[in-house]
Amino acid sequence: MASGPKNPKGKLSQVRYEATVPTVVDRLVQQAMLQVLEAILDPTFSASSYGFRPGRGAHDALAKAREYVADGRAIVVDIDLEKFFDKVNHDILMARLGRWVGDKRMLRIIGRFLRAGLMQDGVCASREEGTPQGGPLSPLLANLLLDDLDKELEKRGHTFCRYADDCNIYVQSKAAGQRVLSSVTAFLEKKLRLRVNRDKSAVACITERKFLGHRLLPGGGLGIAPQSLERARGRVRQITRRNRGVSLPQVIGELNQFLTGWVAYFRHAACKSHLQRLDEWIRRKLRCLRLKQCKRAKPIADFLHRLGVPQWRAWIGALSGKRWWRLSGSPPAMEGMSLAWFDLQGLVSLVQRYEQLNR
């Protein structure tokens, strides 16, 4: 742990905490402890818990949620825990850990990890609650604490899916959902001393909420949540900023790295039309970037002509006076920087990648 001695007055010295992320040595120790504790704790966790567990993942949680919806549970109780990893009560967590770990030396080391200080705006602060984010041990400890919630929901006979601190409970009516939300909120705040964000938690139709970036559809279908599409667009905007001063091949390489992982995650969603529109928008963003790199009319006309656009049409586009975005959607720009041209540049097609993953 990044800790050091106190100063003569008993106050924390400014060099005591180096960062909020554990040091390399701390991570190594935590990883070793994780390998031991995971073998003990993971088999005791609920089958409805999917986050940060070996052999389980987001797609497993989504598959189970789809089963619940297909069975007629079209109302979801979406519980949002407020700053969960920052609000974990150390005493409750250590008590839960003590149920399974008898070695007091290990408990003492874990307690020191939990209490390790952090830097906030250049000022040292002690940690009275929460788990150190970025540490290998934190997800396991979070699952251990929230396993009490899982067991309580199972005891009450609820159908639910939990991925880390994201918990969705599926019911058949809004009246039942309101009762569940009220009782579960009381359990979390009184028994586990966690805060439920009442502004973000809700009882609603499955189509109105998102789960792990997806939107569940009636009958058990799966789509992409609008927020996920907007975040993807935001990432593309960052990569294709026209003032970055990087080459087009580098931009395409960064885009490919992001897009291949993104579409693989959403491969089970019915989203082909969304991907088609996103593909078109990305290509236009790249046309805009490439034209801006030409800067003036003659380089633009020469560039388009080299791509096979007749010279007179290339000059019409270059001298149109349109701003970069409008110019990127003009016929000469689309003719020169065609689908075939983007294929030669190595740009990943979301639609093609999606179809390959679903064969």
Side-chain angles (χ1 to χ4, degrees), residues 7-21:
N7 63 26
K9 294 183 179 181
K11 297 181 180 179
L12 298 174
S13 65
Q14 190 161 347
V15 298
R16 178 170 182 175
Y17 311 119
E18 296 177 0
T20 59
V21 178

Side-chain angles (χ1 to χ4, degrees), residues 130-299:
T131 60
Q133 295 192 38
L137 206 54
S138 292
L140 179 66
L141 296 178
N143 274 333
L144 174 63
L145 180 63
L146 288 175
D147 190 58
D148 276 21
L149 170 63
D150 298 340
K151 297 298 193 294
E152 181 68 19
L153 293 175
E154 289 175 348
K155 186 172 70 174
R156 299 181 186 184
H158 292 308
T159 53
F160 67 98
C161 293
R162 183 178 65 79
Y163 191 94
D165 59 334
D166 194 352
C167 183
N168 279 6
I169 307 168
Y170 298 93
V171 296
Q172 294 180 327
S173 70
K174 286 193 175 182
Q178 292 293 348
R179 291 194 297 270
V180 170
L181 178 60
S182 177
S183 62
V184 171
T185 297
F187 175 83
L188 286 167
E189 294 185 340
K190 292 179 181 178
K191 189 74 178 289
L192 300 183
R193 298 186 190 176
L194 297 172
R195 299 179 189 174
V196 174
N197 190 324
R198 287 169 170 76
D199 293 331
K200 293 184 178 181
S201 299
V203 177
C205 177
I206 53 168
T207 58
E208 298 172 13
R209 308 295 292 182
K210 65 181 179 69
F211 183 48
L212 301 178
H214 292 73
R215 185 175 60 149
L216 289 161
L217 305 174
L222 201 62
I224 298 182
Q227 301 93 320
S228 299
L229 286 169
E230 189 52 41
R231 279 197 294 271
R233 285 176 173 268
R235 180 63 181 137
V236 171
R237 288 188 185 98
Q238 289 180 346
I239 295 173
T240 59
R241 286 199 319 271
R242 299 195 295 270
N243 60 354
R244 288 188 63 199
V246 298
S247 66
L248 186 67
Q250 181 177 338
V251 171
I252 289 177
E254 293 178 20
L255 276 176
N256 287 346
Q257 186 176 7
F258 166 70
L259 296 174
T260 51
W262 187 84
V263 74
Y265 179 73
F266 289 103
R267 64 185 181 274
H268 298 306
C271 58
K272 188 172 180 179
S273 60
H274 290 299
L275 298 182
Q276 287 174 337
R277 290 192 291 271
L278 196 55
D279 265 339
E280 293 168 0
W281 179 73
I282 290 171
R283 288 193 295 268
R284 186 166 179 180
K285 292 286 289 183
L286 291 173
R287 290 188 188 105
C288 187
L289 172 65
R290 186 63 185 87
L291 290 171
K292 174 83 165 35
Q293 290 176 342
C294 293
K295 296 183 179 179
R296 293 181 297 278
K298 188 177 186 308

Side-chain angles (χ1 to χ4, degrees), residues 64 90 108 234 262 322 342:
K64 181 56 71 172
H90 289 173
R108 191 159 50 245
W262 187 84
K322 296 177 180 178
F342 279 113

